[in-house]
Amino acid sequence: MSLYPYIYQKYWRVINWKNNNNTPSYLAQLRKSQFWSKEEIEKLQLKKIKNLISYAYKNVPYYKKILNENHLHPTDITDFKDIQKIPILTKNQIRQNLDDILSIDVDKNTIRKDFTSGSTGEPLTIYKDKTYSEYTKADQYRSYEFSGYVLGDKIARLWGAHRDAPKTTVLSPVKQKIDRTLFINTFNIYEKNMENIIKKLETFHPDYILGYASSLYFFAKYLEKNNITTIRPRSIISSAETLYDHQRKLINTSFSAPVFNHYGCREVGAIACECNQHNGLHLLAENQYVEIINRAGENCDNGEIGKIILTNLNNYSFPLIRYEIGDMARKSKIDHCNCQRGLPLLDEITGRTVDNFIFSSGEIIHGGYFIYLFLDVKGVGHFQVIQEDINKLRIKIVKSDDFDENEINRIIKTIKKDLGADIEIEVEYVTEIDKTPTGKHRVTVSKIIEDYYDL
């Protein structure tokens, strides 16, 4: 085993100490608390929730107004059921009340302004303070450790967000060498530039590879097609997009490494991740309080799919309390994981709310339905299914070798059989399908489901 991680961690602690950064101490806390009992973790959560709501009532105009309008006072919040008395916070409400969600107790010069990618519409502005950022970085490292990562191991990031790329300075190459990180921008990834990327990975020889699910899947297909077996990390970490079973299987086979699914967002950081038991995703409950609710606003039963409502427990400068992020998840039926962590489990992240389609019958179809229709179809490089109206679909297709229009006709026939003969389907052949601003490939998009969910 290399001594480098041991040496690097010493260096890392000193650098953080010099910069008055508490990430190392927060990480040490999280390493211990993850093995607390379920009851101990819930006790911590409730304490942090009460403190956050009390602070927000005193210092955040939006929450003082909302709680007063609903005849609530922080002292009324005594258990988890009481939290549901607080109205859900939507993206539009954040946009409309941006200044009032910012704490009056904070110096604007000490906080960081950030933006979501706006992949489903208008980007969202949020603010983050020092404590939040340090907790988030600690939880990011902790989540990597679920896959076996040790601080100082080599890690390659296949990422599509330009803003997450390392800052280009004279010392950047030196810092990346010390940190043992390799950043590969996958915003525009095609077969023609794959050879160069493969060479970079072969030279770097990463212990771990972190990437978008779609980027990892694209790489895996390329490795399989070209019989490349020279890239063998210890683990693969998939993030930023829904990871489907067929993607996981091919990624695992092509890299000959276990795949760990991670879930997070720009607004609050890491939310959940898989451990080596692969029984679902552990919620990172010391820093996030997560509810899974149905359309009636009630908690889903174990095994049911619902909307994710989350409360970050650390960002006092810009509290997000009962924030509707726009994603769906299935609650786990498992109460205890063999990894011995007391962190609660989600069965799976089923996708974004806007990945779901609703039709005139009232039936909701998850976007995964279309993914599996195209799974084994030859001659289709990429595709995207867009719901334009209640009974209107547009399918964008990028043709590749062996394209057969009969296969597309078969898919159309199947869709009409399964979802209704009156559905209008338009097929559009394109040379390229646009990605989101952060380089994600959205396979399914509904333009009307947001009205149904009232996001």
Side-chain angles (χ1 to χ4, degrees):
M1 182 178 177
S2 171
L3 284 174
Y4 190 88
Y6 175 79
I7 298 169
Y8 176 80
Q9 288 170 41
K10 297 280 188 184
Y11 155 81
W12 179 73
R13 290 190 193 97
V14 170
I15 292 297
N16 280 283
W17 173 76
K18 288 183 67 177
N19 292 329
N20 192 29
N21 189 309
N22 295 307
T23 298
S25 63
Y26 293 151
L27 178 56
Q29 292 173 22
L30 293 171
R31 285 169 174 163
K32 293 178 181 177
S33 61
Q34 65 186 346
F35 292 105
W36 288 358
S37 68
K38 175 185 174 184
E39 292 72 24
E40 288 174 311
I41 292 173
E42 288 180 347
K43 184 178 179 181
L44 173 66
Q45 277 190 308
L46 190 56
K47 179 183 177 181
K48 293 182 81 168
I49 288 169
K50 288 180 179 179
N51 289 342
L52 179 65
I53 293 172
S54 178
Y55 175 89
Y57 186 76
K58 294 175 183 176
N59 297 286
V60 182
Y62 174 80
Y63 288 108
K64 187 173 183 75
K65 174 174 174 288
I66 289 297
L67 265 65
N68 285 341
E69 286 178 351
N70 287 272
H71 309 290
L72 289 172
H73 187 270
T75 55
D76 297 325
I77 310 300
T78 60
D79 57 31
F80 291 115
K81 287 184 180 179
D82 290 334
I83 297 167
Q84 293 192 330
K85 297 174 183 177
I86 300 173
I88 287 171
L89 177 68
T90 67
K91 295 177 189 291
N92 282 335
Q93 286 169 332
I94 293 175
R95 294 185 183 105
Q96 293 164 8
N97 299 276
L98 187 66
D99 291 337
D100 285 343
I101 297 176
L102 188 63
S103 170
I104 61 173
D105 188 43
V106 72
D107 180 356
K108 278 195 174 185
N109 294 319
T110 65
I111 57 176
R112 180 167 58 92
K113 191 175 185 179
D114 202 355
F115 306 88
T116 65
S117 64
S119 59
T120 61
E122 182 184 351
L124 190 70
T125 301
I126 44 184
Y127 293 93
K128 300 174 178 180
D129 58 38
K130 178 177 180 290
T131 300
Y132 162 85
S133 299
E134 291 168 356
Y135 263 116
T136 300
K137 180 59 71 174
D139 226 354
Q140 181 187 60
Y141 287 135
R142 191 257 296 254
S143 69
Y144 291 173
E145 291 177 353
F146 278 43
S147 62
Y149 172 80
V150 174
L151 198 61
D153 283 338
K154 289 185 176 184
I155 186 165
R157 298 180 67 197
L158 310 182
W159 214 246
H162 296 302
R163 59 183 161 177
D164 292 330
K167 293 179 181 178
T168 305
T169 66
V170 176
L171 295 177
S172 293
V174 177
K175 187 178 186 309
Q176 289 185 57
K177 198 170 185 65
I178 292 173
D179 293 342
R180 302 178 97 192
T181 59
L182 173 67
F183 184 93
I184 296 175
N185 194 329
T186 58
F187 185 85
N188 289 313
I189 181 172
Y190 304 102
E191 286 211 5
K192 62 184 179 183
N193 61 11
M194 281 297 296
E195 188 175 339
N196 183 46
I197 294 173
I198 294 295
K199 286 180 180 178
K200 287 183 180 180
L201 288 171
E202 289 174 336
T203 302
F204 183 65
H205 193 66
D207 298 309
Y208 298 87
I209 296 178
L210 165 71
Y212 287 4
S214 60
S215 296
L216 292 169
Y217 184 58
F218 183 87
F219 266 81
K221 288 200 291 186
Y222 184 87
L223 295 179
E224 181 188 51
K225 178 182 176 181
N226 294 277
N227 195 30
I228 296 172
T229 59
T230 53
I231 302 170
R232 289 291 183 259
R234 296 176 200 164
S235 299
I236 301 285
I237 300 172
S238 172
S239 189
E241 298 170 320
T242 302
L243 176 68
Y244 294 100
D245 289 341
H246 71 280
Q247 292 176 321
R248 180 195 290 269
K249 184 177 179 181
L250 184 63
I251 294 167
N252 172 259
T253 302
S254 296
F255 286 99
S256 191
V259 180
F260 291 80
N261 193 12
H262 283 214
Y263 171 60
C265 67
R266 179 72 59 175
E267 295 95 309
V268 302
I271 299 170
C273 61
E274 259 185 321
C275 70
N276 59 7
Q277 299 297 308
H278 301 283
N279 285 325
L281 294 93
H282 284 282
L283 288 168
L284 306 178
E286 304 98 329
N287 296 325
Q288 318 284 0
Y289 174 63
V290 177
E291 305 166 59
I292 309 298
I293 65 170
N294 57 27
R295 278 200 73 207
E298 300 168 344
N299 285 327
C300 288
D301 293 329
N302 291 344
E304 288 186 343
I305 295 175
K307 296 188 290 186
I308 296 175
I309 306 297
L310 62 85
T311 300
N312 179 268
L313 304 177
N314 301 314
N315 192 5
Y316 279 58
S317 66
F318 194 78
L320 296 179
I321 300 173
R322 303 205 73 218
Y323 170 51
E324 183 171 352
I325 190 172
D327 290 337
M328 309 283 286
R330 186 192 305 277
K331 289 188 73 173
S332 177
K333 294 181 180 180
I334 300 173
D335 289 327
H336 180 73
C337 182
N338 289 335
C339 74
Q340 303 305 314
R341 291 179 177 88
L343 300 170
L345 285 161
L346 291 179
D347 186 49
E348 62 175 330
I349 307 299
T350 58
R352 295 196 59 77
T353 306
V354 290
D355 290 336
N356 296 330
F357 289 47
I358 184 168
F359 296 95
S360 55
S361 63
E363 184 178 14
I364 297 175
I365 300 296
H366 185 260
Y369 165 83
F370 299 101
I371 291 170
Y372 287 101
L373 276 182
F374 280 88
L375 190 56
D376 295 317
V377 176
K378 294 181 179 179
V380 174
H382 293 290
F383 73 93
Q384 184 180 59
V385 182
I386 303 169
Q387 184 176 32
E388 302 281 3
D389 208 338
I390 192 72
N391 277 339
K392 183 177 180 181
L393 299 176
R394 180 157 55 98
I395 304 175
K396 292 184 176 182
I397 293 174
V398 177
K399 297 180 183 179
S400 62
D401 297 338
D402 302 324
F403 176 77
D404 185 352
E405 195 161 359
N406 290 325
E407 286 289 291
I408 307 304
N409 292 333
R410 178 185 62 79
I411 288 173
I412 292 173
K413 186 176 180 181
T414 300
I415 293 172
K416 287 180 173 288
K417 178 184 176 183
D418 292 345
L419 306 181
D422 58 337
I423 293 178
E424 180 184 344
I425 301 173
E426 174 191 346
V427 178
E428 180 183 358
Y429 296 107
V430 297
T431 57
E432 184 180 349
I433 293 175
D434 292 337
K435 294 183 180 181
T436 70
T438 52
K440 298 177 186 178
H441 175 50
R442 293 184 60 202
V443 180
T444 56
V445 181
S446 173
K447 294 184 177 180
I448 66 170
I449 195 71
E450 288 192 353
D451 293 333
Y452 175 80
Y453 282 116
D454 193 28
L455 291 180

